[in-house]
Amino acid sequence: MKKIFILLLATCLGREVIAQDPNFSQFFASPLTMNPAATGKFDGVYRVAGNYRNQWPTINNAFTTSTISADFHLLKNALPEIDRWGIGVLGFSDKNGNGALTNNHFALSTAYHKGLDENGFHQIGVGFQGSYTDKRLDISKLDFEDELTALGFTGVTNEVFNQNDLSVKYFDLNAGILYNGSTNGDNNFYFGASMYHINRPKETFQGGQFYLNTRTTLQAGARLPVGAFNAIHLSANYSTQANATNLMFGGAFAINLNSSDDHPTNFYFGSWTRINNVTDAVIPYIGLEFGDFHFGATYDINISSLQAASNLRGGTEISMIFIKQPVNRDLKKLNCPKF
């Protein structure tokens, strides 16, 4: 019955949250899943980001999600010094019900960021993302009612499956817009909007007629200096799809440990909150930034009606962002958000 419960749980939750989309507590540390227009939105040579999430581990690994992305700039010496053109690749794997349902996803994205003033303090970017999805159901990891005997699940199911009905493949299209600005070159703020599943691809097993609903996402954030070297980082993300909504907001305080602006070592601590159709989780966060690396870790404390089953354990998540800095800077440094 345990595997049946997991499958039913995954199926029901899939209708309530964001379909197959990754849903990270550290959304700000996964730029290419947050908004296609975030592609190339960094100051450096190239950026690599990775995320891993294990949600509700007490329910037999109900959801595990991992992503890896890389993006860089094109034609840097041919564009105006306050403009950037980015291109990126993204891959993620999502497993539900202890691997019974697997979703593998590959995406290409591009975005152009246009400078709005001579200092490069203000930019607006537009991005597009095309993706390919392969979703598979592994029936060897499922138990069915007719397998249940007095000794447990020891029988053989009489269910008949067509192998062609156990996988779904489709192309998807996403797009977004992102503005970032600064009043003095030290602070930074951004606002963005993105739309996913614009073409509403068909996603169903066994010949059904289910089409993905378009998902709309809004995001905003800011970096506000505190004193000579420290800062407060704030961010929020709101998404809506069909009858499901998801709101996350919070912030972290960054303590500069080496009192350096050019090569800071920052320690972060803070918290975010997630509210969907119910109040879901409180999410403490710690992070460390040094050299070209930025690491983050969160732990969801479940405060929803599922807390009895989860024992207040929502999920563990870790993130890493690596931004390669140039040895000799030949391009103007722009004031980009820290995702």
Side-chain angles (χ1 to χ4, degrees):
M1 291 297 291
K2 190 173 185 180
K3 289 185 178 180
I4 290 177
F5 171 72
I6 292 171
L7 180 61
L8 290 174
L9 177 66
T11 302
C12 293
L13 289 171
R15 297 176 184 270
E16 292 296 327
V17 291
I18 311 177
Q20 92 291 352
D21 302 341
N23 186 19
F24 289 113
S25 295
Q26 297 178 57
F27 59 90
F28 47 85
S30 183
L32 268 62
T33 62
M34 184 184 74
N35 189 331
T39 305
K41 193 59 180 171
F42 64 93
D43 189 62
V45 181
Y46 61 85
R47 174 175 61 184
V48 178
N51 308 77
Y52 174 79
R53 177 177 178 82
N54 187 356
Q55 184 174 344
W56 298 333
T58 56
I59 313 179
N60 203 16
N61 294 320
F63 299 93
T64 58
T65 306
S66 56
T67 69
I68 184 72
S69 68
D71 57 334
F72 54 93
H73 302 117
L74 295 175
L75 303 178
K76 291 181 291 186
N77 295 318
L79 299 175
E81 65 175 1
I82 57 174
D83 290 6
R84 294 291 187 271
W85 180 18
I87 188 169
V89 295
L90 164 71
F92 82 78
S93 178
D94 187 51
K95 296 182 179 180
N96 304 167
N98 208 25
L101 183 63
T102 301
N103 175 31
N104 293 315
H105 175 101
F106 177 79
L108 292 172
S109 61
T110 185
Y112 192 90
H113 303 274
K114 179 65 180 176
L116 302 178
D117 67 307
E118 61 181 10
N119 294 317
F121 286 177
H122 302 269
Q123 283 185 313
I124 189 166
V126 177
F128 298 91
Q129 187 178 75
S131 64
Y132 175 78
T133 296
D134 183 357
K135 180 172 287 191
R136 296 178 180 272
L137 186 64
D138 187 352
I139 60 173
S140 68
K141 296 183 179 181
L142 300 176
D143 290 324
F144 298 88
E145 185 179 4
D146 59 354
E147 296 179 71
L148 183 60
T149 70
L151 300 177
F153 286 97
T154 60
V156 178
T157 183
N158 292 318
E159 298 283 349
V160 178
F161 292 92
N162 184 335
Q163 291 300 316
N164 294 329
D165 292 335
L166 298 180
S167 66
V168 177
K169 301 178 178 65
Y170 57 84
F171 172 81
D172 210 353
L173 180 63
N174 314 314
I177 186 170
L178 182 70
Y179 162 82
N180 86 282
S182 175
T183 60
N184 55 14
D186 292 327
N187 58 25
N188 189 279
F189 47 88
Y190 68 90
F191 307 94
S194 51
M195 184 172 290
Y196 294 82
H197 319 308
I198 295 174
N199 57 320
R200 295 204 62 197
K202 182 178 179 180
E203 184 185 64
T204 181
F205 295 101
Q206 297 186 328
Q209 296 296 318
F210 177 77
Y211 295 87
L212 281 176
N213 288 301
T214 300
R215 174 169 65 94
T216 301
T217 303
L218 305 175
Q219 54 275 153
R223 177 189 180 275
L224 306 175
V226 177
F229 300 103
N230 303 327
I232 294 176
H233 293 257
L234 304 172
S235 62
N237 190 73
Y238 173 80
S239 65
T240 177
Q241 184 176 23
N243 295 321
T245 61
N246 191 64
L247 172 64
M248 292 192 60
F249 59 92
F253 189 78
I255 301 176
N256 191 311
L257 302 178
N258 62 350
S259 300
S260 171
D261 279 331
D262 295 330
H263 305 284
T265 297
N266 289 320
F267 174 73
Y268 296 80
F269 67 94
S271 181
W272 271 257
T273 299
R274 179 189 297 110
I275 300 174
N276 39 52
N277 296 77
V278 294
T279 301
D280 187 15
V282 174
I283 308 162
Y285 167 83
I286 58 171
L288 182 64
E289 178 185 18
F290 60 93
D292 297 338
F293 290 91
H294 189 155
F295 295 93
T298 53
Y299 189 84
D300 293 16
I301 302 174
N302 191 309
I303 57 174
S304 73
S305 56
L306 286 174
Q307 61 183 271
S310 67
N311 295 321
L312 298 180
R313 301 176 186 176
T316 302
E317 186 176 314
I318 57 175
S319 68
M320 182 277 295
I321 294 180
F322 173 85
I323 299 179
K324 176 62 178 176
Q325 296 298 320
V327 177
N328 297 310
R329 180 171 291 276
D330 56 355
L331 290 175
K332 180 180 179 64
K333 183 176 181 180
L334 299 181
N335 192 356
C336 296
K338 281 191 174 182
F339 296 113

